[in-house]
Amino acid sequence: MSTTTKTAKARTSYVCTDCGWNSPKWLGQCRECRAWGTLEEFTESTSGGIGGPGRIPATATAIRPTVAARPIAQVSAEEARARPTGVGELDRVLGGGVVPGAVVLLAGEPGVGKSTLLLDVAAKAAAASRARGLGPVLYVTGEESASQVRLRAERIGAIDPALLLAAETELGALLGHVQDATPSLLVVDSIQTVASAQVEGGAGGVTQVRAVASSLIQVAKERAIPVLLVGHVTKDGGIAGPRVLEHLVDVVCQFEGDRHARLRLLRAVKNRYGPTDEVGCFDLGERGIIGLADPSGLFLSAARSEVPGTCATVTLEGRRPMPVEIQALVAGTAAGSPRRTTSGVDHSRVAMALAVLAARLRVDTSTTDVYVSTVGGARAVEPATDLAVAIAVVSAAQNLPTSPGLVAFGEVGLTGEVRATVGVQRRLAEAARLGFDRAIVPLAGSEELRELQGLQILPVAHLGEAVGAALPRG
């Protein structure tokens, strides 16, 4: 009786690059996340292996574990203690620092400063590791040459003898560097440029990113090495590559900021070791990137009094209060239709504020151009900034400055009422710390506020009351 030998066959399937949904045939739209044009072809081996998931056996044989299960009280928590990186704002977002074995994905638009930030982090971590007698820091670049990274390191002062630099795009060579150097921290810039010779497809593809990420995560867990990965973003602002990448890593951070401004914000979208509502502030300049424990100098202009068309407010970025100055300009129009130009604020909310001012306070701007902007490239898009926007517009329209030392926050409804907002006490504490002495707040919930030394709290229920308190001479 003859026997036949079954050989491994290749099977073609299509995977969505956004969510990882699998389809046996190509479709124009992903049926899982409804994204268009995101299905890419890849070959899957039915015999398993690195190139594809393979067939899952119907049953599995039990094996003896290498480490027996222990009572939770006997498990040491010291191995999961966070180690500071030396960059305070990054430690704030991560929850105190990097945890050994943790994999952190840092995503952001091109030119926002991801490589500069991680190079500065690598240099400071190398100095700290050298002082504690730990291993060096390994920085692997796949987008630039080693010489280019060295030039940037000289410019920002990120030179340290314990910082090792390698330019590699092959996963096997990268793992070889890790084995030889035994680093205390690994930085890979970026994961989309690294490819494995054992996996089909080019670097940055679905299978390549998944395989590279899985290998780096395995190394991080086995050797207790924290790994920082740089990730690209799509034109829509999402992290490039399969969505499963975000689920595999321990921490996902977004690095944001206008490339024409100095301010950069770091947010944790996912964090298994700390909070996700902290925000880190950085100042990106010619000499590198600097953490800003107090970013008010970027958000508030030097002249905050006796200037018509300005009003300060305090926004909340996660749990962190951020002072923002709103500036407005009302000028005669030279065109048939007046212009409405905004920068850093929500355009639709500004339009509603102008409509409420015209209907409730008879402040008509229908025949004038209105410009509303923030100072320093800050973003003030939450509804709590409505009151400051309205006060700044009235101040500009009547050419009257607001009261010195005034700060205002509250949502303005279409009927002109000032609605309650969240985090009022934290906003007031930040305003008092910065030296403001008068705060206009919503009347609703004001009875629960604590008095702060040197800060007069003015609760208002209607927009007219707020304008009267902000412009006492108006």
Side-chain angles (χ1 to χ4, degrees):
M1 182 176 181
S2 61
T3 60
T4 57
T5 303
K6 294 184 179 180
T7 60
K9 296 181 179 179
R11 184 176 62 187
T12 300
S13 59
Y14 299 85
V15 177
C16 176
T17 58
D18 284 356
C19 66
W21 180 73
N22 191 298
S23 172
K25 61 180 181 179
W26 184 87
L27 298 173
Q29 184 186 32
C30 173
R31 293 183 178 176
E32 181 68 23
C33 64
R34 301 301 178 183
W36 288 92
T38 58
L39 267 66
E40 291 187 359
E41 178 183 355
F42 81 101
T43 303
E44 175 185 355
S45 175
T46 58
S47 62
I50 298 178
R55 295 189 182 275
I56 301 176
T59 60
T61 304
I63 61 175
R64 181 172 297 277
T66 56
V67 179
R70 294 175 292 170
I72 190 171
Q74 299 179 9
V75 177
S76 175
E78 293 302 319
E79 297 179 356
R81 301 291 184 189
R83 295 202 305 254
T85 62
V87 180
E89 291 300 294
L90 177 61
D91 293 340
R92 175 203 292 267
V93 175
L94 295 180
V98 291
V99 175
V103 180
V104 180
L105 177 63
L106 178 64
E109 296 180 354
V112 75
K114 304 183 299 296
S115 300
T116 303
L117 173 61
L118 290 188
L119 186 58
D120 183 60
V121 170
K124 288 183 170 60
S129 298
R130 183 161 43 86
R132 294 195 296 261
L134 301 176
V137 173
L138 177 60
Y139 189 102
V140 180
T141 174
E143 298 185 342
E144 300 175 291
S145 65
S147 300
Q148 291 174 320
V149 178
R150 167 61 191 266
L151 290 177
R152 182 188 297 115
E154 289 181 349
R155 178 172 57 85
I156 66 175
I159 302 294
D160 191 276
L163 176 57
L164 306 182
L165 180 62
E168 294 290 351
T169 57
E170 211 284 319
L171 177 61
L174 190 157
L175 298 179
H177 283 295
V178 174
Q179 184 175 358
D180 295 340
T182 60
S184 59
L185 174 66
L186 172 63
V187 180
V188 180
D189 184 11
S190 65
I191 189 172
Q192 278 88 1
T193 61
V194 181
S196 173
Q198 298 176 297
V199 179
E200 296 181 357
V206 175
T207 54
Q208 284 288 357
V209 170
R210 185 179 300 173
V212 171
S214 300
S215 298
L216 293 177
I217 291 172
Q218 182 179 0
V219 170
K221 305 303 180 185
E222 291 178 351
R223 298 174 175 263
I225 302 174
V227 178
L228 304 180
L229 305 176
V230 175
H232 295 163
V233 297
T234 63
K235 61 182 180 180
D236 297 328
I239 299 176
R243 185 59 56 87
V244 70
L245 176 62
E246 301 178 42
H247 299 291
L248 290 175
V249 300
D250 301 303
V251 183
V252 179
C253 293
Q254 287 277 2
F255 203 41
E256 308 169 353
D258 186 353
R259 62 186 309 170
H260 302 293
R262 295 167 53 186
L263 174 66
R264 298 293 186 268
L265 296 179
L266 181 66
R267 309 173 190 269
V269 181
K270 168 190 174 182
N271 193 351
R272 290 174 177 167
Y273 308 109
T276 57
D277 53 0
E278 285 285 4
V279 176
C281 295
F282 296 88
D283 182 12
L284 182 63
E286 296 181 357
R287 305 300 299 176
I289 192 164
I290 303 173
L292 297 175
D294 183 8
S296 59
L298 289 179
F299 301 143
L300 300 176
S301 62
R304 285 186 286 167
S305 62
E306 302 301 327
V307 179
T310 64
C311 184
T313 187
V314 180
T315 65
L316 283 182
E317 295 286 350
R319 293 187 300 177
R320 185 172 188 175
M322 307 282 284
V324 177
E325 182 175 325
I326 306 293
Q327 295 184 343
L329 176 63
V330 178
T333 180
S337 58
R339 299 182 61 183
R340 302 290 185 260
T341 305
T342 60
S343 176
V345 294
D346 191 328
H347 185 83
S348 61
R349 301 203 70 86
V350 171
M352 287 191 294
L354 295 179
V356 172
L357 288 175
R360 308 302 176 188
L361 300 186
R362 300 295 186 266
V363 179
D364 188 11
T365 57
S366 60
T367 59
T368 57
D369 294 338
V370 178
Y371 305 86
V372 181
S373 177
T374 58
V375 172
R379 287 183 56 81
V381 295
E382 62 171 329
T385 61
D386 290 350
L387 192 56
V389 170
I391 291 175
V393 171
V394 176
S395 174
Q398 298 181 358
N399 198 29
L400 290 173
T402 57
S403 300
L406 178 72
V407 63
F409 35 82
E411 181 183 357
V412 177
L414 294 181
T415 60
E417 81 276 15
V418 179
R419 297 175 178 173
T421 187
V422 298
V424 175
Q425 193 65 53
R426 274 179 286 170
R427 301 175 200 260
L428 290 174
E430 180 68 9
R433 187 188 68 83
L434 294 174
F436 291 95
D437 51 29
R438 302 181 72 210
I440 300 178
V441 302
L443 177 63
S446 60
E447 64 278 358
E448 301 177 359
L449 299 177
R450 300 190 306 271
E451 294 289 338
L452 297 173
Q453 185 177 3
L455 182 64
Q456 180 186 6
I457 301 177
L458 305 174
V460 296
H462 194 271
L463 180 56
E465 302 176 38
V467 172
L471 305 172
R473 293 175 292 174

